[in-house]
Amino acid sequence: MTTRNLEKMASIDAQLRLLAPSKVSDDDKLVEYDALLLDRFLDILQDLHGDDIRETVQDCYELSAEYEGQNNPQKLEELGNMLTGLDAGDSIVISKSFSHMLSLANLAEEVQIAYRRRIKLLKKGDFADENSAITESDIEETFKRLVNQLKKTPQEIFDALKSQTVDLVLTAHPTQSVRRSLLQKHGRIRNCLTQLYAKDITPDDKQELDEALQREIQAAFRTDEIRRTPPAPQDEMRAGMSYFHETIWKGVPKFLRRVDTALKNIGINERIPYNAPVIQFSSWMGGDRDGNPRVTPEVTRDVCLLARMMAANLYFSQIEDLMFELSMWRCNDELRVHSDELLSSSKRDAKHYIEFWKQIPPNEPYRVILGDVRDKLYNTRERARQLLANGSSEIPEETTFTNVEQFLEPLELCYRSLCACGDQPIADGTLLDFLRQVSTFGLSLVRLDIRQESDRHTDVMDAITNHLEIGSYREWSEERRQEWLLSELSGKRPLFGPDLPKTEEIADVLETFHVIAELPSDSFGAYIISMATTPSDVLAVELLQRECHVKQPLRVVPLFEKLADLEAAPAAVARLFSIDWYRDRINGKQEVMIGYSDSGKDAGRLSAAWALYKAQEELIKVAKEFGVKLTMFHGRGGTVGRGGGPTHLAILSQPPDTIHGSLRVTVQGEVIEQSFGEEHLCFRTLQRFAAATLEHGMHPPVAPKPEWRALMDEMAVIATKEYRSVVFQEPRFVEYFRCATPELEYGRMNIGSRPSKRKPSGGIESLRAIPWIFAWTQTRFHLPVWLGFGAAFRHVIEKDPKNLQMLRDMYNQWPFFRVTLDLVEMVFAKGDPGIAALYDKLLVSEELWPFGDRLRSMYEETKSLLLQVAGHRDILEGDPYLKQRLRLRDSYITTLNVLQAYTLKRIRDPDYHVKLRPHLSKDYMESSNPAAELVKLNPTSEYAPGLEDTLILTMKGIAAGMQNTG
């Protein structure tokens, strides 16, 4: 190897160190981790594809780093020329390498965060950096803060905690762009890296871990990152359920144990009761049919049975451990009687068990009881399996558990008996964990929500009224609709028989209600109506549930998302509550869902955030008037443009009184992996939600002053106007958007089972919120997040210079305003208008260039005004850690951006010709054209060889680098 190469080898390491701002703190291992993973990867790359490719990767990295350092667009062109000369196979290898290096950088960062957290716990109570104190919510610290600073009594905390509920709703949003096969390999890389830096590691361990690390990095690199077929809803559900298997199942009892310990430390010597619903889980996978024709009634049935089978299997795999543990012979009379009854009913040996397959001796009563539980679990699982496979089962239902009470009864009996005999410490071991799992997951593992668009219900009602020859429901006024629905709901007669003429759509809606009626009621959560606007939308679903013989009707939840719907929501809910029939039906409880994504796409982030804030306040007011307890269900996305952001802050910035100990939140797509991908992540997620919800209830955030409100109202009007004038009124905006971003190509990623548009034709309105955000994130311009803020700030500051001070007060004193601005600042830290300019130059027609320039000057103006309001000299001044992490990542992303822009140019412009350089990458098995193997993975592409794969790899890489897809 020439000396130049040796110098280069050293240079990437040195460059990383240069890029990282001076050591942020002494426990900072990030650069070390990063350099280690990178070195390993480059060695593997060299072994697999030769020196030339490795050198090209390093050259690209250096050019990117120089661009990042000097902001010199010249460097982007040099980089572009280097990348466009690559032949198809090489460009796939290069894009794959950079995408992979970014994933490794993310892993290094996760390990570093976990490391800092451990250090912090060891130095407990020593908050060197105040920032993490605000955004982290350790449950014990929260308790102590409530007791010491806010003067709450331990008993008050205990009572609040026992009655609070956080329901996390996992949704299969098409934003998880990493395949499951890769997520597992990433997990193993993380573990190797953590162990390599453990204190007590021997040289042999180190060598073996190093080999394992290399093996996993190579295995991940050699896995095809691209999904070649779109996932079916069942696959999305399996992927979602795998988190239960891996982390959530064991994570819940572990977390509740930590809560017990924290309670002990503030002087409460009781445990959280096992049936306190502190954490609950629901799912939309296989239940969310809004705009997804692939979710059929059959899919819903499959998903429910699959979840029941998994739940029974998870319990079944633990019950023998419990039998082993409970070998005591002392028991109370109640248990003895029950055990004797079971023994006397004749039983033959069950040889399909591994342990305890012969009859259990009578002097081990707990085992006798649990043996019966085990038999029932076995049958429960097998019955679900047979129903799933053949639609029928020969196992009689009475030999299985059909509701959770039957399942809890024998377990509670064992618990009571152990306590009565003085064995409470034993009862509070595995048995308590098991009881807590049963009351959290039940027999259905998660409750499935059903979501459907209100229009589809109107179609069904219309068909019914036409069939009954009483008119067209669709054309009736709201008053007439309500009157008719209520008279039907109060009556007894069936509305329609099998002879109702049905279109496919109508049959689908009715069939879904039949599935709800057929399956056990504990399989389901809420029935959510999207695009709901009026009380009749809710009553129609109530009527359909009754008509289709749903024995225990699901609670009906209207979802308000567009700006106008949010503003009209309080009045609609008030009208609903003023209907006597409905008030009797809901028994004092109502849930309302508010959508973050579509409101943002409709009006821009600032106005959407403020509208959501006000809508919640108004809704709570209405509910109080009618004496109803309202639960808000927050449909937050992963990205800032769709309402994402740090959990703790997001909860604490909600208006006072709106949570009140019950919170439902969606955990979407790519966020599921960040929240539950690892045991420690799962623990942290549960802790954050529980602690922040408790704190919000016991120490509500300040309500905004009247003058702050007035200023916000004024700003929201200006922001919406500015946003809409660009996005909806600029005649060539859609054309510009489609040229300047990879939006048209997004559908090729096969991320989700859902189409990316609601209606195939149509402009921005019909585009789903996810691709809309995705496209702007790819070019690092993030338009939907910041557009509107600048105009609003400028307007109020020009109108009265004193307003600048008021905005600063709002930033410093009002959590809602602070969180809104901090998230936008974080997005500015990830943005780069220079990159967006490159896309414009290559892909947009010349007469639209001035429009792009105008948008970029708006970007710069918004950024400087934001810094002025926040009182920061520099972006992310308050968060040096995040700043460093983003700096380390930028050079990788820049290469991918340039490659993406030039690849789009080659795909879209038939007259764009490039001179190919000679082929670089050598493959291990020397075939005549090795990288051609990579091209063969996608034989059906309509583009020139290799271009489509290169494009998709850059999309995935940038998404990983931005840490959010949509």
Side-chain angles (χ1 to χ4, degrees):
M1 217 173 167
T2 60
T3 46
R4 174 169 185 289
N5 271 7
L6 281 171
E7 275 167 28
K8 283 200 87 140
M9 294 260 320
S11 79
I12 227 169
D13 201 27
Q15 207 124 20
L16 273 173
R17 292 179 192 283
L18 274 176
L19 274 175
S22 56
K23 270 213 154 171
V24 185
S25 76
D26 48 347
D27 61 16
D28 182 32
K29 290 266 199 288
L30 183 58
V31 177
E32 258 176 82
Y33 293 153
D34 220 9
L36 173 81
L37 291 179
L38 203 63
D39 283 345
R40 290 291 169 280
F41 171 67
L42 289 170
D43 291 344
I44 291 168
L45 184 66
Q46 189 171 336
D47 292 343
L48 295 174
H49 295 291
D51 301 349
D52 292 348
I53 277 280
R54 175 178 180 148
E55 239 183 273
T56 310
V57 165
Q58 285 176 321
D59 290 340
C60 292
Y61 181 85
E62 278 170 29
L63 278 168
S64 295
E66 283 172 33
Y67 163 74
E68 292 298 335
Q70 309 159 3
N71 250 340
N72 174 0
Q74 189 76 43
K75 296 287 172 200
L76 290 183
E77 257 176 64
E78 285 177 45
L79 188 55
N81 296 335
M82 183 186 269
L83 291 167
T84 36
L86 300 171
D87 78 351
D90 288 339
S91 77
I92 291 176
V93 174
I94 297 276
S95 51
K96 206 170 155 52
S97 301
F98 273 91
S99 180
H100 195 62
M101 279 152 53
L102 262 168
S103 301
L104 294 176
N106 283 346
L107 295 174
E109 182 181 308
E110 282 169 35
V111 174
Q112 154 74 357
I113 290 174
Y115 174 81
R116 273 183 57 211
R117 187 164 284 114
R118 272 201 309 281
I119 296 276
K120 195 186 91 184
L121 288 175
L122 292 173
K123 306 182 192 154
K124 200 134 198 190
D126 161 32
F127 269 116
D129 85 37
E130 269 303 302
N131 284 314
S132 66
I134 305 167
T135 55
E136 251 328 302
S137 31
D138 179 304
I139 195 103
E140 191 164 325
E141 280 158 16
T142 304
F143 287 175
K144 288 189 172 151
R145 194 161 57 243
L146 289 169
V147 171
N148 300 334
Q149 292 168 18
L150 305 167
K151 304 292 176 248
K152 303 287 180 198
T153 65
Q155 190 59 44
E156 284 173 322
I157 294 176
F158 187 50
D159 293 340
L161 199 61
K162 278 192 299 198
S163 60
Q164 88 171 25
T165 301
V166 175
D167 186 355
L168 302 177
V169 186
L170 277 65
T171 69
H173 270 290
T175 51
Q176 171 52 288
S177 67
V178 186
R179 293 181 52 202
R180 242 165 90 198
S181 321
L182 279 168
L183 289 174
Q184 285 179 341
K185 295 180 175 63
H186 290 167
R188 292 199 286 269
I189 295 173
R190 231 180 342 221
N191 293 342
C192 291
L193 192 56
T194 309
Q195 289 169 4
L196 262 175
Y197 282 91
K199 293 271 184 290
D200 47 0
I201 179 174
T202 66
D204 289 0
D205 286 343
K206 196 171 170 88
Q207 195 178 338
E208 283 160 23
L209 278 168
D210 218 21
E211 282 173 16
L213 185 64
Q214 200 133 353
R215 179 166 55 245
E216 293 303 339
I217 292 176
Q218 182 159 344
F221 183 59
R222 297 294 255 192
T223 303
D224 186 11
E225 281 181 57
I226 300 175
R227 286 203 182 95
R228 299 293 168 187
T229 50
Q234 286 96 325
D235 298 329
E236 292 183 323
M237 183 266 182
R238 279 194 186 91
M241 292 300 123
S242 67
Y243 291 99
F244 285 86
H245 249 276
E246 308 283 320
T247 61
I248 298 175
W249 186 258
K250 293 213 164 65
V252 167
K254 191 173 139 191
F255 162 69
L256 291 170
R257 231 164 238 293
R258 176 60 52 87
V259 176
D260 290 342
T261 309
L263 284 167
K264 215 175 224 147
N265 291 342
I266 56 164
I268 295 279
N269 286 319
E270 268 181 87
R271 294 175 179 276
I272 285 271
Y274 59 84
N275 52 3
V278 183
I279 295 281
Q280 306 271 289
F281 289 93
S282 307
S283 159
W284 277 20
M285 302 179 195
D288 177 12
R289 17 190 52 73
D290 175 20
N292 189 351
R294 295 195 185 98
V295 178
T296 59
E298 186 193 10
V299 165
T300 299
R301 186 173 179 278
D302 281 358
V303 163
C304 287
L305 289 168
L306 195 56
R308 293 186 92 75
M309 188 171 97
M310 282 178 69
N313 196 36
L314 284 163
Y315 291 123
F316 184 71
S317 63
Q318 278 172 235
I319 191 96
E320 288 193 338
D321 299 341
L322 197 55
M323 289 169 80
F324 255 106
E325 197 168 311
L326 299 186
S327 51
M328 299 80 222
W329 53 269
R330 288 186 183 78
C331 67
N332 65 5
D333 298 343
E334 188 189 10
L335 190 120
R336 169 81 57 213
V337 169
H338 193 55
S339 150
D340 292 346
E341 275 170 21
L342 287 172
L343 281 167
S344 60
S345 59
S346 65
K347 278 206 163 160
R348 53 179 203 291
D349 294 347
K351 292 192 178 160
H352 53 267
Y353 294 138
I354 298 173
E355 305 288 352
F356 305 111
W357 56 273
K358 280 228 173 302
Q359 210 170 16
I360 297 165
N363 62 345
E364 295 182 340
Y366 294 101
R367 288 179 171 173
V368 174
I369 302 275
L370 292 173
D372 181 54
V373 172
R374 175 181 63 171
D375 293 344
K376 284 202 167 129
L377 280 172
Y378 180 81
N379 287 337
T380 307
R381 180 186 73 186
E382 292 309 299
R383 183 175 157 85
R385 190 198 303 277
Q386 291 170 6
L387 284 170
L388 190 62
N390 345 330
S392 62
S393 165
E394 67 259 17
I395 296 173
E397 197 169 17
E398 54 277 13
T399 62
T400 66
F401 288 123
T402 49
N403 63 38
V404 101
E405 287 70 33
Q406 297 170 337
F407 188 7
L408 280 169
E409 199 182 342
L411 300 171
E412 289 169 338
L413 176 60
C414 293
Y415 190 86
R416 282 199 301 275
S417 167
L418 285 166
C419 292
C421 302
D423 286 331
Q424 178 146 11
I426 300 172
D428 281 339
T430 319
L431 178 59
L432 178 65
D433 285 346
F434 199 83
L435 277 162
R436 282 173 165 172
Q437 282 168 324
V438 176
S439 46
T440 305
F441 302 109
L443 292 169
S444 58
L445 195 59
V446 291
R447 286 174 174 266
L448 186 71
D449 283 358
I450 305 289
R451 178 168 83 140
Q452 180 64 279
E453 240 178 307
S454 55
D455 251 10
R456 300 286 296 275
H457 304 132
T458 307
D459 290 343
V460 177
M461 290 298 157
D462 196 54
I464 294 171
T465 56
N466 279 322
H467 184 59
L468 296 173
E469 297 177 355
I470 53 176
S472 162
Y473 179 85
R474 190 173 269 296
E475 280 153 26
W476 289 352
S477 67
E478 173 64 16
E479 278 55 48
R480 171 100 197 263
R481 286 181 185 187
Q482 282 185 36
E483 189 188 335
W484 180 72
L485 289 166
L486 285 167
S487 74
E488 286 303 331
L489 280 164
S490 324
K492 287 276 180 284
R493 63 164 193 174
L495 264 187
F496 58 89
D499 59 339
L500 179 75
K502 306 182 186 71
T503 62
E504 239 175 79
E505 263 99 14
I506 290 173
D508 185 83
V509 173
L510 292 173
E511 210 28 59
T512 302
F513 282 104
H514 287 307
V515 168
I516 298 172
E518 165 209 349
L519 290 168
S521 62
D522 63 355
S523 298
F524 298 103
Y527 193 109
I528 295 158
I529 313 170
S530 54
M531 302 289 172
T533 48
T534 56
S536 65
D537 287 335
V538 175
L539 296 174
V541 174
E542 294 285 7
L543 184 58
L544 286 170
Q545 293 200 80
R546 196 198 75 183
E547 281 306 309
C548 298
H549 313 294
V550 178
K551 287 184 225 33
Q552 293 184 342
L554 312 190
R555 58 182 194 278
V556 182
V557 178
L559 158 58
F560 301 104
E561 28 192 354
K562 287 225 158 54
L563 199 61
D565 297 346
L566 282 170
E567 285 164 359
V573 172
R575 278 176 22 222
L576 191 58
F577 288 161
S578 54
I579 297 169
D580 297 336
W581 181 90
Y582 188 74
R583 268 215 318 290
D584 293 344
R585 151 85 176 90
I586 57 171
N587 198 6
K589 289 200 208 59
Q590 175 70 42
E591 186 179 312
V592 171
M593 181 167 181
I594 49 176
Y596 286 63
S597 322
D598 279 338
S599 51
K601 198 185 83 184
D602 182 39
R605 190 78 202 93
L606 179 71
S607 320
W610 181 232
L612 286 159
Y613 188 94
K614 290 198 298 189
Q616 288 188 68
E617 290 183 313
E618 292 298 317
L619 286 164
I620 293 288
K621 229 185 258 165
V622 167
K624 274 191 181 148
E625 253 166 63
F626 287 95
V628 173
K629 179 170 164 44
L630 194 66
T631 295
M632 300 307 281
F633 179 7
H634 300 264
R636 296 170 64 210
T639 46
V640 178
R642 292 180 43 247
T647 305
H648 189 71
L649 295 176
I651 293 176
L652 290 181
S653 67
Q654 297 305 324
D657 276 354
T658 51
I659 292 179
H660 249 317
S662 66
L663 175 73
R664 270 196 115 199
V665 187
T666 55
V667 182
Q668 296 192 352
E670 83 279 24
V671 187
I672 298 179
E673 172 62 24
Q674 291 158 21
S675 308
F676 299 109
E678 288 268 302
E679 271 183 30
H680 75 97
L681 293 175
C682 170
F683 182 82
R684 211 165 83 212
T685 301
L686 299 179
Q687 175 159 267
R688 271 178 186 167
F689 275 108
T693 304
L694 179 74
E695 189 172 337
H696 187 283
M698 297 195 77
H699 176 58
V702 294
K705 300 178 180 169
E707 60 268 32
W708 295 355
R709 280 179 181 281
L711 197 62
M712 271 310 288
D713 283 336
E714 196 174 332
M715 279 169 39
V717 173
I718 302 289
T720 304
K721 202 169 127 202
E722 165 101 335
Y723 179 87
R724 288 184 174 161
S725 76
V726 171
V727 174
F728 294 106
Q729 283 140 19
E730 186 63 56
R732 297 183 66 181
F733 177 78
V734 175
E735 177 192 348
Y736 173 79
F737 168 59
R738 301 237 147 108
C739 293
T741 69
E743 186 259 323
L744 290 167
E745 288 78 7
Y746 164 81
R748 303 180 176 279
M749 277 181 69
N750 282 334
I751 295 186
S753 66
R754 191 167 83 167
S756 61
K757 280 213 176 75
R758 285 203 166 84
K759 300 181 181 67
S761 60
I764 300 291
E765 302 77 54
S766 69
L767 185 69
R768 283 198 168 271
I770 293 170
W772 163 240
I773 300 283
F774 184 90
W776 288 112
T777 308
Q778 289 284 307
T779 63
R780 284 164 69 184
F781 197 49
H782 305 284
L783 177 102
V785 178
W786 57 262
L787 185 58
F789 276 88
F793 287 150
R794 189 179 64 235
H795 169 83
V796 296
I797 294 169
E798 279 173 5
K799 187 176 141 193
D800 180 354
K802 287 205 218 59
N803 280 338
L804 178 59
Q805 191 48 50
M806 193 186 323
L807 287 169
R808 286 187 173 159
D809 294 344
M810 288 157 71
Y811 180 76
N812 291 319
Q813 295 166 28
W814 182 18
F816 160 78
F817 193 67
R818 172 154 207 146
V819 168
T820 306
L821 263 55
D822 282 352
L823 291 177
V824 178
E825 183 176 1
M826 184 182 78
V827 167
F828 274 128
K830 293 178 175 183
D832 182 349
I835 298 284
L838 177 75
Y839 281 78
D840 274 17
K841 198 172 116 191
L842 289 171
L843 304 167
V844 176
S845 61
E846 246 175 272
E847 68 262 30
L848 281 173
W849 284 0
F851 179 59
D853 290 335
R854 195 179 106 211
L855 289 177
R856 281 189 291 283
S857 65
M858 284 159 82
Y859 174 100
E860 293 300 347
E861 181 195 31
T862 304
K863 182 161 129 182
S864 71
L865 282 165
L866 179 82
L867 287 174
Q868 232 180 311
V869 170
H872 295 170
R873 281 190 308 280
D874 203 6
I875 286 280
L876 286 189
E877 176 181 61
D879 193 344
Y881 277 106
L882 181 60
K883 194 166 178 168
Q884 173 190 8
R885 287 172 359 215
L886 295 174
R887 284 281 295 274
L888 284 178
R889 211 177 260 171
D890 277 347
S891 310
Y892 306 116
I893 304 179
T894 298
T895 305
L896 288 166
N897 275 129
V898 173
L899 187 54
Q900 184 179 78
Y902 278 94
T903 305
L904 285 169
K905 174 81 169 162
R906 287 168 71 175
I907 286 175
R908 294 179 188 174
D909 182 355
D911 306 327
Y912 182 65
H913 295 300
V914 286
K915 197 161 122 300
L916 289 183
R917 298 210 308 238
H919 180 74
L920 297 173
S921 87
K922 305 184 181 36
D923 213 294
Y924 199 73
M925 297 151 39
E926 277 303 346
S927 66
S928 56
N929 187 355
E933 303 291 315
L934 285 168
V935 182
K936 277 191 215 142
L937 283 172
N938 188 355
T940 56
S941 174
E942 67 235 54
Y943 307 145
L947 291 183
E948 183 172 355
D949 279 14
T950 303
L951 181 66
I952 295 174
L953 287 165
T954 60
M955 286 191 198
K956 282 178 171 279
I958 294 166
M962 291 290 168
Q963 284 218 329
N964 25 31
T965 33

